[in-house]
């Protein structure tokens, strides 16, 4: 037998607590409904009405107000709990009789099917049950047969048990404070290998590591390391932790370590037969971390252009580097196009104009008359934000010094050299 | 060991077998320079606006277009992603390392990519050498 509790008042979080008092596992189809098996509780509490009364008593103690139903089929129990107040015991064979007075619209069915039933003049569940099962099956298909079995208490289905989220946390207090990284990494490595084994046993990989180092005087240093591609190799994770700790050393001796691994399903990448081999994700991850430790966070990745006309608008992503490479075009020799190398930040410049066109450019590294100029190209945008820009761009050739992109910034009427064509 | 410095004319004269070269040179220069030699360092030099970066971007466009993962160690922090995309580069196959004008970091980063860090070039058995600019 299955019990269903439908909550219409009281704390939401107490519903699973109530279920756990009677069963080791439960199904929670929505926030207000919970289903659990009460099979075998008869020896402890007696027949179904006494079990329901005990559930009500415990629910009251937890501050939950709601309806309770006990039935053979979970969906029948749920239907009764949601639409019949108080306690409802649906003994086998009496489901149709008890649910009969309920209107047909309470059935968990598609609106068009309910509309069809209404057109037939079916107003209550009792009317629906009076229809011949074979005829219902012929006219409404499997869905009609399922609904009739549900209100009649026929059939069976296992509960879809909610699994509590398992946490992978290891905590270790050190016997004496540790100042050097090597012994600290030894401790972290031990915890990491144990936790990784547990995660791998569930068939998952790790997407994030949270390392908390407790120092003297209860000071805590926390590090969060995310992986663009889920990792299963503890050596790769240990290397990431080592690079992180070397880049940001703890400010004092460490007296305790707390390590948490956050799992995720592993990433399956199908390599194409004719596509180039990609580096192993673990090795690429280590390489990215080592490069970031060298050049700084936020300086390593794959550029992604932003959806804006703002000049030089991009962001760095790392995830795309882990995807399998595919040829985007038929192998053909590329065409040579003029490339722009930007000066970051743009170089201040002095520009002399003649008939509103640049005649002479003077800036760091380039000084000379303009022998050819193309422009202006005016661009403005994002006036509502701090990233607003408004400028007139020119491409100018400087005698003996190269081809440059310069622009006049409307704000302040100042000139800059944006970059050089090369 | 000092590496020999060869002029473009010398490279053209030597003309290594085509099978050993990656056809990553622009069509405009294919007659002069049939390809880049894999497993070696190719240095492109010239004056400003002579087309050095254009040649580099064309090579990267060809390599990334074939699905190769390429690295660009940007010593001067001057690479323009929009210019790269206009040249035909598949930006999602490009690892861009910005060295903030720190030459030492640029050399170390290139070394990591080639050797220490598992190596995009060696790990992937890629025929594309990581590029520096």
């Amino acid at each position: 037998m299955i019990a269903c509790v439908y909550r219409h008042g009281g704390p939401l979080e107490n519903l699973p607590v109530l279920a756990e008092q009677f069963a080791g596992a439960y199904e929670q189809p929505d926030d207000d409904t919970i289903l659990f098996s009460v099979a075998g509780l008869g020896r402890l509490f007696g027949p179904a009405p006494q079990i329901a009364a005990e559930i009500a008593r415990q629910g009251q103690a937890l501050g939950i107000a709601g309806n309770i139903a006990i039935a053979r089929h979970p969906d029948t129990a749920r239907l009764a709990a949601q639409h019949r107040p108080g306690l409802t015991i649906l003994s086998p064979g009496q489901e149709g009789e008890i649910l009969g007075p309920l209107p047909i619209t309470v059935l968990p069915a598609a609106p068009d099917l309910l509309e069809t039933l209404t057109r037939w003049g079916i107003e209550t569940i009792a009317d629906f049950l009076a229809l011949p099962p074979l005829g219902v099956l012929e006219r409404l298909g499997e869905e009609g047969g399922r609904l009739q079995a549900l209100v009649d208490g026929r059939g069976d289905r296992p509960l879809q048990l909610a699994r509590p989220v398992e946490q992978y946390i290891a905590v270790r207090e050190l016997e004496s404070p540790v100042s050097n990284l090597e012994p600290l990494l030894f401790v972290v490595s031990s915890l990491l290998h144990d936790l990784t084994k547990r995660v791998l046993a569930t068939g998952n990989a790790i997407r994030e590591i949270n390392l908390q180092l407790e120092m003297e005087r209860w000071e805590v240093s926390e590090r969060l390391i995310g992986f663009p591609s889920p990792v299963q190799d503890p050596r790769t994770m240990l290397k990431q932790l080592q690079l992180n700790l070397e880049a940001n050393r703890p400010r004092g001796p460490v007296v305790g370590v707390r390590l948490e691994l956050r799992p995720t399903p592993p990433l399956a990448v199908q390599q194409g037969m004719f596509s180039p081999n990609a580096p192993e994700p673990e090795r690429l991850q280590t390489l990215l971390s080592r490069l970031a430790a060298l050049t700084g966070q936020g300086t390593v990745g794959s550029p992604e252009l932003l959806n804006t006309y703002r000049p030089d608008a991009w962001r760095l992503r790392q995830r795309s580097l882990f995807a399998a490479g595919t040829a985007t075009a038929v192998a053909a020799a590329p065409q040579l196009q003029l490339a722009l190398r930007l000066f970051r930040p743009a170089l201040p410049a002095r520009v002399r104009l003649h008939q509103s066109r640049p005649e002479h450019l003077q800036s760091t590294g380039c000084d000379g008359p303009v022998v050819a100029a193309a422009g202006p190209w005016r661009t403005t945008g994002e006036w509502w934000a701090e990233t607003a820009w408004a400028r007139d761009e020119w491409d100018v050739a400087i005698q003996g010094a190269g081809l440059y992109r310069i622009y006049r910034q409307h704000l302040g009427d100042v000139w800059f050299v944006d970059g050089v064509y090369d | 060991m000092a590496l020999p410095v060869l002029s473009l004319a010398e490279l053209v004269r030597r003309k290594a077998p085509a099978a050993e070269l990656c056809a990553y040179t622009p069509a405009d220069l294919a007659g002069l320079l049939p390809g880049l030699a894999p497993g070696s360092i190719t240095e492109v030099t010239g004056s400003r606006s002579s087309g050095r970066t254009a040649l580099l971007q064309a090579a990267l466009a060809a390599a990334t277009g074939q699905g190769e993962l390429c690295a660009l160690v940007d010593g001067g922090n001057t690479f323009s992603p929009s210019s790269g995309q206009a040249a035909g580069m598949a930006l999602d196959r490009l690892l861009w390392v910005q060295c903030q004008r720190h030459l030492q970091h640029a050399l170390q980063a290139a070394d990591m990519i080639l050797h220490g860090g598992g190596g995009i070039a060696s790990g992937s058995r890629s025929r594309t050498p990581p590029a520096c600019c």
Side-chain angles (χ1 to χ4, degrees):
Chain A
M1 297 290 278
I2 304 294
C4 177
V5 179
Y6 177 69
R7 184 197 74 95
H8 51 70
L12 197 68
E13 61 276 9
N14 280 358
L15 209 50
V17 178
L18 173 65
E20 282 169 355
Q21 290 184 358
F22 294 91
Y26 53 85
E27 174 184 327
Q28 191 163 17
D30 59 61
D31 285 348
D32 295 324
T33 313
I34 201 158
L35 293 152
F36 51 92
S37 172
V38 291
L41 290 183
R43 294 180 185 175
L44 197 60
F45 300 112
Q50 290 184 19
I51 295 173
E54 182 62 20
I55 294 171
R57 196 181 65 77
Q58 295 288 349
Q60 203 173 12
L62 289 167
I64 297 172
N67 307 331
I68 298 169
I70 293 180
R72 194 169 42 180
H73 196 285
D75 293 334
T76 315
R78 185 181 174 191
L79 187 68
Q82 286 181 337
H83 300 287
R84 283 182 59 89
L87 305 181
T88 307
I89 309 298
L90 298 150
S91 304
Q94 292 184 343
E95 291 93 344
E97 190 182 330
I98 297 171
L99 294 176
L102 291 177
I104 195 74
T105 50
V106 302
L107 285 179
D112 54 344
L113 194 145
L114 292 177
E115 190 182 335
T116 304
L117 289 173
T118 310
R119 279 194 199 143
W120 289 355
I122 308 295
E123 292 181 355
T124 63
I125 288 178
D127 296 342
F128 182 49
L129 275 174
L131 294 174
L134 197 60
V136 168
L137 207 58
E138 281 175 350
R139 287 165 179 78
L140 299 178
E142 285 186 10
E143 181 64 4
R146 182 189 71 83
L147 285 175
Q148 223 175 19
L150 186 152
V151 292
D152 204 21
R154 284 183 277 120
D156 194 14
R157 76 159 176 87
L159 289 178
Q160 295 172 356
L161 302 178
R163 287 187 178 177
V165 180
E166 191 170 357
Q167 291 191 319
Y168 301 93
I169 299 173
V171 181
R172 183 166 297 175
E173 289 184 7
L174 306 181
E175 290 180 2
S176 57
V178 173
S179 303
N180 296 328
L181 280 189
E182 194 176 341
L184 179 62
L185 279 170
F186 185 76
V187 174
V188 172
S189 171
S190 156
L191 299 177
L192 183 66
H193 276 80
D194 291 347
L195 286 178
T196 307
K197 273 184 196 166
R198 283 177 53 200
V199 174
L200 295 187
T202 63
N204 283 327
I206 291 103
R207 64 175 168 82
E208 209 169 55
I209 297 179
N210 181 255
L211 176 66
Q212 290 182 7
L213 302 175
E214 189 186 337
M215 288 170 281
E216 287 169 333
R217 286 181 295 181
W218 296 284
E219 194 180 350
V220 175
S221 168
E222 186 171 2
R223 289 123 206 281
L224 193 66
I225 300 172
F227 302 106
S229 172
V231 182
Q232 290 184 314
D233 183 7
R235 289 173 301 174
T236 305
M237 289 181 273
L238 189 63
K239 189 69 185 172
Q240 307 292 319
L241 287 167
Q242 183 186 352
L243 289 169
N244 185 290
L245 286 167
E246 282 173 355
N248 304 297
R249 286 174 176 268
R251 283 186 292 180
V254 176
V255 296
V257 177
R258 180 186 183 275
L259 185 69
E260 180 181 0
L261 303 187
R262 291 169 187 163
T264 187
L267 183 68
V269 177
Q270 176 70 50
Q271 298 279 359
M273 187 176 287
F274 302 107
S275 61
N277 288 337
E280 293 172 23
E282 282 84 4
R283 299 181 75 180
L284 181 57
Q285 180 67 56
T286 305
L287 173 63
L288 293 176
S289 300
R290 293 185 65 186
L291 288 170
L294 177 71
T295 59
Q297 290 296 327
T299 61
V300 179
S302 169
E304 182 186 54
L305 294 176
L306 301 181
N307 186 19
T308 170
Y309 289 108
R310 178 159 45 89
D312 200 24
W314 46 266
R315 63 178 169 181
L316 283 180
R317 306 289 297 272
Q318 291 191 345
R319 189 173 291 273
S320 65
L321 295 170
F322 292 88
T326 52
T328 54
V330 180
Q335 298 297 316
L336 199 59
Q337 290 194 2
L338 213 53
L340 178 66
R341 297 180 68 154
L342 292 172
F343 298 136
R344 295 190 180 96
L347 303 174
R350 295 180 66 181
V351 177
R352 193 167 66 231
L353 301 176
H354 176 65
Q355 294 181 342
S356 303
R357 299 178 69 82
E359 185 189 48
H360 189 276
L361 172 67
Q362 184 184 5
S363 182
T364 311
C366 59
D367 186 0
V370 175
V371 292
W377 291 282
R378 173 165 295 183
T379 62
T380 61
E382 296 181 10
W383 49 265
W384 58 88
E386 287 183 358
T387 52
W389 82 93
R391 64 193 208 176
D392 294 339
E393 290 181 358
W394 290 81
D395 289 339
V396 294
I398 308 299
Q399 195 168 26
L403 185 60
Y404 292 86
R405 177 190 284 177
I406 62 173
Y407 67 87
R408 182 180 70 84
Q409 186 174 286
H410 293 187
L411 184 66
D413 195 19
V414 284
W415 287 85
F416 292 94
V417 181
D418 197 21
V420 59
Y421 288 101
D422 190 28
Chain B
M1 186 181 72
L3 293 171
V5 177
L6 302 177
S7 67
L8 183 60
E10 178 69 12
L11 278 173
V12 172
R13 194 181 62 77
R14 287 190 173 192
K15 263 197 178 172
E20 291 183 7
L21 300 177
C22 308
Y24 292 155
T25 48
D28 319 53
L29 298 179
L32 279 175
L33 186 60
L36 303 177
S40 66
I41 297 174
T42 302
E43 184 178 2
V44 184
T45 62
S47 59
R48 274 193 174 181
S49 302
S50 61
R52 300 161 299 176
T53 312
L55 183 64
L56 174 75
Q57 291 196 357
L60 287 171
T64 55
Q66 291 178 16
E68 297 274 11
L69 190 59
C70 297
L72 178 69
V73 182
D74 191 358
N77 203 21
T78 59
F79 173 65
S80 164
S82 54
S83 173
Q85 193 179 51
M89 290 166 59
L91 294 180
D92 59 345
R93 304 302 298 158
L94 180 73
L95 169 60
W96 180 21
V97 184
Q98 301 172 75
C99 298
Q100 315 294 339
R101 299 182 188 172
H102 202 299
L103 185 60
Q104 185 72 22
H105 285 174
L107 292 172
Q108 282 180 299
D111 185 57
M112 272 183 201
I113 292 167
L114 287 167
H115 304 105
I120 287 183
S122 60
S124 67
R125 295 184 188 85
S126 164
R127 291 166 65 82
T128 315
C132 301
C133 73

